[in-house]
Amino acid sequence: MDTPIFINKAAASGIIALDLLKYKPTMEVVELDIKEHLFMEIIVKEKEFKESIANTDFSIYKDKAVAIICSTDAIIPPWAFMILMEKLQPYAAYTDINSFDTVLLDLWKQKLLSADLEQYHDQKVVVKAGPDIAPALYLLATSLLKPFVKSLMYGEIGLPKVIFKK
């Protein structure tokens, strides 16, 4: 009886995978809610705001990405953000006035933009599907890869969805 020979068609296809999870930032992202420094958590009163900021230990943000938010409908003047930044700058690795998710996505995009993608030059590439990957990352990956890949696909190597072919 002949032993059947199994051929791994995925491996034989020559398709290589780009896993966007590989570029997920490792830096911790934390939120700083500015409402904690407001009078009655809604009003910016200069004296009270400056005192509250002065009494805060900003070293807890050392080497972290800080997403500055205000969870109330307070109107925050630009100088308040400047005061916050002055205190955060010696500690925080990255700071932005945005939600946790947006800051994480921005860092992820920065990491992908600075990645060496030369290994994908003239290759058949599949960008791996993932439930925790924002569509904006697929958009960015497409714009980065399309100029120099032979073909671009989405999904898994064994059953990719073709996006582009030269």
Side-chain angles (χ1 to χ4, degrees):
M1 183 166 340
D2 290 332
T3 306
I5 299 173
F6 294 102
I7 299 172
N8 184 339
K9 290 183 180 180
S13 69
I15 298 172
I16 57 176
L18 169 66
D19 187 355
L20 293 172
L21 287 174
K22 176 181 167 186
Y23 301 97
K24 186 174 183 176
T26 54
M27 182 186 316
E28 183 181 357
V29 179
V30 295
E31 280 188 339
L32 186 161
D33 193 345
I34 202 169
K35 84 170 185 177
E36 309 299 326
H37 302 285
L38 304 179
F39 177 71
M40 297 175 55
E41 295 189 340
I42 192 110
I43 302 167
V44 179
K45 290 176 87 175
E46 184 174 357
K47 183 179 178 192
E48 287 85 349
F49 181 79
K50 286 181 175 180
E51 285 174 2
S52 178
I53 294 296
N55 293 326
T56 300
D57 178 15
F58 285 94
S59 68
I60 63 171
Y61 299 106
K62 184 166 178 47
D63 300 326
K64 297 177 183 173
V66 181
I68 299 173
I69 64 161
C70 185
S71 59
T72 63
D73 287 334
I75 297 171
I76 311 297
W79 60 262
F81 294 113
M82 294 173 72
I83 288 172
L84 265 177
M85 188 62 206
E86 189 273 327
K87 297 297 184 186
L88 283 166
Q89 192 170 23
Y91 304 107
Y94 180 86
T95 308
D96 197 2
I97 303 169
N98 254 319
S99 69
F100 174 92
D101 291 337
T102 302
V103 168
L104 180 63
L105 181 60
D106 287 347
L107 292 171
W108 205 331
K109 285 179 177 180
Q110 286 177 17
K111 201 165 180 183
L112 188 56
L113 281 165
S114 65
D116 179 12
L117 301 176
E118 187 57 35
Q119 66 184 347
Y120 303 107
H121 196 270
D122 286 330
Q123 299 293 321
K124 295 186 270 181
V125 180
V126 63
V127 179
K128 289 182 73 172
D132 298 329
I133 299 174
L137 291 167
Y138 292 109
L139 190 75
L140 179 59
T142 302
S143 70
L144 293 173
L145 293 169
K146 187 180 183 251
F148 60 85
V149 297
K150 191 182 290 182
S151 62
L152 183 63
M153 295 160 273
Y154 165 83
E156 296 297 327
I157 291 176
L159 191 60
K161 183 170 291 302
V162 176
I163 306 299
F164 162 80
K165 276 187 179 184
K166 275 189 183 171

